[in-house]
């Protein structure tokens, strides 16, 4: 995960090294033109168990984790449906994967079932480290997140990619003991570019397998 510079942000970035998630930060669109696109990234609380691999896609969809986040968290996804079934599924599942990481922070559980449902492999390991940094500090995120400039692609081998921006200008760290919110000013670094790799699993879910990000990306900056 990528955030504006704070104590928790430093901890999270150290924990995740090259892998960063999207709780508390902004990401940019997904053109593969400059070095930004070489970075990879992967509202509700609670979380049910993931369904067994043997279940059908329809059944799996019905039993997805319930994500109910605290009321002080809100999300705006400014990306439209493409009309392509698989691309739209990637967009929908990616929305849930973002919220699921924030849910784990709210639950103070680095092994929360919801984010593990939407992350596998390298992305899951990076998410666990990022969440654990917040658990250790007894903190989570609060505020409003906006996602925009999405570019999604699907390959014939059931793999795909999603590049997008995240606006963290109104998102902050909150310490749970006293509910103190660490409000930081909006800067260029409040906008983050994410580039995620995804794989469609045997339950028909597009899971994040790899995720990188670039804070302060020019692509994600607001128009003058």
């Amino acid at each position: 995960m990528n955030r504006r510079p704070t104590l928790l942000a430093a901890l999270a970035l150290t924990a995740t090294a090259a892998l960063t998630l999207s709780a508390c930060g902004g990401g940019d669109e997904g053109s593969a033109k400059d070095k930004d696109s070489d970075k990879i990234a992967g509202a509700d609380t609670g979380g049910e168990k993931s369904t067994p691999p043997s279940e059908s896609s329809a059944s799996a969809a019905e039993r997805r984790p319930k994500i109910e986040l605290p009321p002080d968290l809100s999300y705006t996804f400014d990306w439209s449906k493409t009309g392509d079934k698989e691309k739209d599924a990637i967009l929908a599942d990616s929305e849930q994967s973002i919220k699921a990481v924030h849910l784990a922070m709210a639950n103070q559980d680095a092994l929360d079932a919801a984010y593990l449902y939407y992350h596998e492999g390298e992305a899951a390991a990076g998410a666990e480290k990022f969440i654990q940094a917040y658990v250790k500090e007894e903190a989570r995120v609060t505020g409003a997140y906006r996602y925009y400039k999405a570019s999604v692609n699907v390959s014939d081998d059931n793999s795909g990619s999603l590049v997008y921006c995240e606006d963290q200008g109104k998102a902050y760290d909150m310490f749970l003991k006293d509910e103190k919110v660490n409000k930081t000013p909006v800067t260029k670094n409040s906008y983050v570019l994410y580039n995620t790799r995804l794989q469609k699993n045997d339950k028909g879910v597009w899971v994040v397998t790899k995720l990188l990000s670039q804070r302060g990306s020019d692509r994600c900056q607001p128009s003058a």
Side-chain angles (χ1 to χ4, degrees):
M1 292 251 23
N2 228 317
R3 262 209 66 84
R4 275 170 275 153
T6 63
L7 170 62
L8 292 181
L11 289 173
L13 290 174
T14 298
T16 57
L19 207 69
T20 31
L21 288 182
S22 78
C24 42
D28 181 298
E29 68 188 41
S31 133
K33 194 170 180 184
D34 58 77
K35 64 180 180 181
D36 287 356
S37 58
D38 292 331
K39 313 254 172 162
I40 299 179
D44 326 19
T45 8
E48 300 171 352
K49 305 277 184 180
S50 58
T51 54
S54 59
E55 294 191 352
S56 67
S57 297
S59 178
E62 292 172 1
R63 301 188 57 180
R64 286 169 181 260
K66 185 177 181 181
I67 301 177
E68 296 176 337
L69 285 165
D72 55 278
L73 274 166
S74 65
Y75 302 82
T76 300
F77 293 94
D78 286 334
W79 50 48
S80 303
K81 288 187 176 182
T82 66
D84 180 277
K85 180 180 177 182
E86 295 301 344
K87 288 183 178 180
D88 289 341
I90 286 177
L91 291 173
D93 286 348
S94 294
E95 291 181 13
Q96 297 306 303
S97 70
I98 290 169
K99 294 177 182 179
V101 172
H102 292 189
L103 173 62
M105 296 162 69
N107 288 343
Q108 292 285 280
D109 184 359
L111 294 176
D112 196 67
Y115 91 83
L116 290 174
Y117 186 89
Y118 290 103
H119 295 79
E120 292 181 359
E122 184 178 339
E128 180 182 351
K129 291 178 181 178
F130 176 76
I131 296 162
Q132 185 57 47
Y134 275 81
V135 172
K136 183 178 180 180
E137 295 300 316
E138 297 184 35
R140 65 171 176 85
V141 292
T142 185
Y145 290 88
R146 184 172 73 91
Y147 301 90
Y148 53 104
K149 293 186 178 179
S151 177
V152 58
N153 289 288
V154 179
S155 300
D156 293 336
D157 60 352
N158 280 332
S159 66
S161 65
L162 173 63
V163 183
Y164 62 93
C165 289
E166 182 186 52
D167 177 356
Q168 302 176 349
K170 297 180 180 179
Y172 312 99
D173 292 331
M174 182 174 76
F175 294 87
L176 298 177
K177 281 187 176 180
D178 53 8
E179 295 191 344
K180 180 180 178 180
V181 176
N182 183 22
K183 290 199 172 182
T184 50
V186 177
T187 69
K188 180 179 181 179
N189 286 335
S190 301
Y191 306 94
V192 186
L193 175 68
Y194 291 93
N195 185 332
T196 65
R197 298 287 173 81
L198 305 100
Q199 188 72 39
K200 187 176 182 181
N201 65 17
D202 52 10
K203 290 176 286 193
V205 178
W206 284 95
V207 297
V208 181
T209 59
K210 199 170 185 181
L211 175 157
L212 294 176
S213 65
Q214 180 175 353
R215 179 168 294 287
S217 167
D218 289 340
R219 299 186 187 203
C220 297
Q221 301 303 310
S223 302

